[in-house]
Amino acid sequence: MCARIISVANQKGGVGKTATTTNLGASLYNLGHKILLVDMDPQGNLSSSFGTVERGETTVADAILDRKVALPIVPIYKRDDARLDLIPTSVALATAEAALMNKLGREFRLREQLDTVSNLYDFIFIDTPPSLGLLTINSLVAAQLVLVPTEARYFSLQGLQMLQESIDEILYINPHLRILGIVLSKFDRRLREEQTVATYLREHWGDLVFETHVGTNSKILEAASAGMPLIEMHGSHRAVEMYASLAREVLARV
Ligand SMILES: Nc1ncnc2c1ncn2[C@@H]1O[C@H](COP(=O)(O)OP(=O)(O)OP(=O)(O)O)[C@@H](O)[C@H]1O
Ligand SMILES: [Mg+2]
């Protein structure tokens, strides 16, 4: 069995891509799954969300530029059959993105590498940078599914339209790519603007919008700064339950 590969994407910055990848990954691990998280953002927020991780001599940037270099996979958690592994980012990814421009098969580099490890996992989540550059394109080409975290703000709606257009372009080279769902990942129900946009989103995108929304919650921020998934920091908490609920919806959809 090969893993479901899910790219977590939205070119808008700060909408909760990394928090969703971290906490959804940890929730699915907690439910007994084998998870690989890939940090394709040179900012490295996903890598920091798991504290200080050991890094080998080669980086994901080397692996993208040269197929003879294996992906640097770091084990984070293991329990019975379940595991959570991480491919940490490297600042060199930013220069690798520019270097890829002159390479053949530049959109397929990550896909080819993930193919070699995909049989080891149930789910692979790829955290992407806030842009539609080659790193995000590599993630969308490697994936079968796109998970889209979004804020419930007016400008987010335009962003979603742009993302849809990019996905339509990717279909030329990855025809089976589809949107797994859109998740309101920082929802503040007290704001009227957010309620209005959330209603519009559900009308416009229908069932693609997950029923679960993740509310704004300071514990999510604190866990990210402490370098651990929420569930490790607060075993039971309202915010933990929100991601667990999202995890169950994801399992029902794949
Ligand atoms: N539900 C939430 N409640 C409160 N804070 C949150 C929530 N989700 C994410 N955050 C915080 O908001 C900030 C931005 O979130 P995150 O880093 O996940 O967004 P991102 O889309 O990955 O950003 P970037 O585009 O820069 O990669 C972080 O400080 C994060 O801890
Ligand atoms: Mg991020």
Side-chain angles (χ1 to χ4, degrees):
M1 259 296 277
C2 285
R4 292 302 180 130
I5 306 184
I6 301 173
S7 175
V8 183
N10 188 334
Q11 74 283 357
K12 201 161 183 318
V15 296
K17 294 180 287 294
T18 303
T20 305
T21 310
T22 306
N23 292 302
L24 183 59
S27 282
L28 286 166
Y29 161 75
N30 198 46
L31 291 171
H33 294 281
K34 300 183 185 73
I35 309 293
L36 174 65
L37 304 181
V38 187
D39 192 352
M40 284 298 282
D41 184 352
Q43 292 181 103
N45 299 151
L46 177 69
S47 309
S48 322
S49 299
F50 289 90
T52 315
V53 291
E54 289 263 332
R55 293 171 194 237
E57 276 171 23
T58 55
T59 70
V60 62
D62 301 321
I64 297 281
L65 290 173
D66 181 353
R67 59 151 66 104
K68 295 189 289 299
V69 176
L71 285 169
I73 297 182
V74 180
I76 304 284
Y77 304 128
K78 195 164 182 344
R79 191 195 65 233
D80 304 325
D81 272 352
R83 58 201 269 202
L84 186 145
D85 293 351
L86 171 73
I87 298 181
T89 196
S90 149
V91 277
L93 259 185
T95 35
E97 183 171 38
L100 272 183
M101 286 305 289
N102 302 315
K103 300 262 184 192
L104 287 178
R106 54 185 169 263
E107 298 98 344
F108 295 90
R109 300 300 181 102
L110 181 63
R111 175 198 273 196
E112 191 178 313
Q113 284 282 9
L114 287 181
D115 274 350
T116 64
V117 297
S118 151
N119 60 336
L120 302 174
Y121 301 97
D122 301 319
F123 294 98
I124 300 177
F125 289 95
I126 311 169
D127 187 23
T128 62
S131 77
L132 291 167
L134 260 182
L135 296 175
T136 300
I137 290 173
N138 261 270
S139 307
L140 292 172
V141 171
Q144 300 115 23
L145 297 161
V146 193
L147 173 62
V148 186
T150 184
E151 290 177 315
R153 295 290 172 93
Y154 176 70
F155 287 121
S156 313
L157 298 174
Q158 283 175 322
L160 287 182
Q161 199 54 45
M162 267 176 76
L163 182 63
Q164 175 72 69
E165 285 162 20
S166 311
I167 292 172
D168 290 345
E169 288 291 311
I170 300 285
L171 291 179
Y172 283 103
I173 51 178
N174 183 12
H176 300 296
L177 184 68
R178 64 181 178 86
I179 297 183
L180 171 66
I182 299 170
V183 58
L184 289 165
S185 44
K186 290 172 88 173
F187 185 54
D188 188 344
R189 62 164 79 239
R190 291 165 306 180
L191 300 180
R192 185 181 298 248
E193 148 119 341
E194 299 225 349
Q195 287 177 7
T196 310
V197 171
T199 307
Y200 176 86
L201 261 182
R202 291 189 193 280
E203 278 167 11
H204 188 79
W205 294 84
D207 290 344
L208 270 186
V209 182
F210 284 102
E211 275 181 34
T212 306
H213 63 250
V214 179
T216 47
N217 193 302
S218 57
K219 296 281 185 254
I220 295 172
L221 244 171
E222 285 165 22
S225 315
M228 62 180 80
L230 195 59
I231 199 166
E232 288 292 310
M233 203 162 157
H234 307 276
S236 71
H237 185 273
R238 201 155 39 88
V240 173
E241 179 43 41
M242 295 190 288
Y243 287 111
S245 163
L246 181 62
R248 288 191 292 272
E249 270 198 78
V250 166
L251 288 173
R253 285 187 185 199
V254 294

